[in-house]
Amino acid sequence: MAISLTDAQWERIRRHFPEENIPDGRPGRKPVPARRVLEAVLWILNTGAQWHMLPQCYPNYKTVHRRFQRWCERDVLREVLCALANELREQGGLDESECFVDAMFSPAKGGGEGVGPTKRGKGVKIMGIVDRGGLPLAASTHAANHHEVTLVQLTFDFYMVEAKPENLIGDKAYDSDHLDEELRQQGIRMIAPHRRNRRKLRIQDGRRLRRYQRRWLVERFFSWIQWHRRILIRWEYYVQNFLGFVQLACALILLKQF
């Protein structure tokens, strides 16, 4: 089944995807339009199939893979994601008054860069921050053997809009005084229920913890991106290629909001 973008969706993002510049009269292959390459990558993202299984209705899989790698190396997909998020924010489609953070585990069957060992096997963690409506504001990938508390600041490096959230809500894994202090210096209040084995004085306000009831929004975000089978298992050797698929899945979520 062919995967295609609507004309309106393509017009919104086309300026970020450079076309191949092959001089006229040069022997060899003809340049492939960026839209056709992107739609081929979307087929890989949705089906989780190997590159050589790309249907004949798409360009040659080697061309698609080469162009996709180039986009990942040049942060093209991240630029698309930031542009969509900021445009949506200007239209009032994002609410950063409270955001939610969480992570999901993705096994890495092929190994490669940025893979860490865990009790569940080697893999990566996909960190995500979503707004009050469950729309992605940041997404990043890290080796799975790192604790989520240490990855929050790294995830903010991939934040898509300039304004930081007022409140950041997470589960018990984010109960850390050190993290609370780091975020407080940036004007962000971390809200997370205390761990049962916490030894230090409890500092969370019970009234603010009511916001924790809406943490299902970030879990819904992860369920959305897991519809794309290429994200369920990391087959890419290079970390930027897998991150590119995650960013593309987030971009599809934002595109549907226009």
Side-chain angles (χ1 to χ4, degrees):
M1 178 181 177
I3 305 296
S4 61
L5 296 169
T6 65
D7 292 339
Q9 289 174 335
W10 172 244
E11 288 299 324
R12 192 175 298 277
I13 62 176
R14 68 177 302 173
R15 67 182 185 276
H16 300 285
F17 294 93
E19 299 288 351
E20 277 192 314
N21 184 18
I22 299 180
D24 295 337
R26 176 183 172 182
R29 62 180 180 84
K30 300 298 181 182
V32 180
R35 180 175 180 175
R36 293 193 61 204
V37 175
L38 179 58
E39 290 176 344
V41 174
L42 289 177
W43 187 88
I44 296 292
L45 173 67
N46 288 346
T47 63
Q50 300 178 19
W51 288 99
H52 71 271
M53 298 176 65
L54 198 64
Q56 293 184 355
C57 61
Y58 293 111
N60 182 273
Y61 78 92
K62 293 182 179 179
T63 299
V64 175
H65 185 243
R66 174 176 53 82
R67 296 275 291 275
F68 174 69
Q69 281 191 312
R70 187 181 303 169
W71 292 342
C72 294
E73 292 170 357
R74 299 178 180 179
D75 281 338
V76 171
L77 298 173
R78 182 177 179 180
E79 292 176 4
V80 171
L81 204 51
C82 291
L84 290 174
N86 282 281
E87 183 179 355
L88 192 60
R89 182 173 182 266
E90 292 175 358
Q91 298 179 6
L94 294 179
D95 184 357
E96 309 104 291
S97 60
E98 62 178 23
C99 294
F100 303 85
V101 61
D102 205 356
M104 64 166 279
F105 175 79
S106 181
K109 300 296 185 181
E113 300 175 342
V115 174
T118 68
K119 294 180 180 179
R120 301 171 61 183
K122 60 184 180 180
V124 296
K125 282 183 179 178
I126 302 176
M127 293 286 295
I129 298 177
V130 303
D131 76 335
R132 193 172 185 178
L135 300 179
L137 292 178
S140 60
T141 62
H142 311 272
N145 57 335
H146 296 294
H147 196 280
E148 294 171 27
V149 168
T150 64
L151 301 177
V152 174
Q153 292 287 9
L154 296 176
T155 306
F156 271 112
D157 292 340
F158 293 86
Y159 207 66
M160 304 171 200
V161 296
E162 294 183 2
K164 295 294 181 66
E166 301 173 10
N167 299 286
L168 185 65
I169 297 99
D171 57 21
K172 293 182 180 180
Y174 301 92
D175 178 24
S176 166
D177 292 342
H178 180 68
L179 177 62
D180 291 349
E181 182 59 30
E182 284 186 341
L183 294 178
R184 189 178 296 112
Q185 293 176 2
Q186 303 175 38
I188 305 172
R189 185 179 183 89
M190 185 72 216
I191 301 175
H194 292 307
R195 299 188 305 273
R196 183 178 300 178
N197 60 349
R198 181 182 177 89
R199 296 181 179 179
K200 294 184 179 180
L201 182 67
R202 296 175 179 267
I203 58 175
Q204 287 290 355
D205 186 344
R207 292 168 296 180
R208 285 185 173 272
L209 276 175
R210 296 172 186 170
R211 301 171 184 263
Y212 181 75
Q213 298 175 357
R214 294 189 287 274
R215 203 183 66 85
W216 59 270
L217 290 165
V218 68
E219 296 174 350
R220 185 184 65 177
F221 159 72
F222 283 115
S223 69
W224 281 345
I225 66 173
Q226 287 182 75
W227 277 99
H228 305 289
R229 294 186 177 182
R230 194 71 179 195
I231 294 177
L232 293 176
I233 299 176
R234 174 182 156 174
W235 296 102
E236 283 65 40
Y237 181 85
Y238 296 107
V239 63
Q240 68 265 20
N241 289 0
F242 183 70
L243 177 60
F245 278 122
V246 174
Q247 291 172 336
L248 189 55
C250 293
L252 291 176
I253 295 175
L254 295 182
L255 272 174
K256 294 178 181 178
Q257 308 305 312
F258 293 96

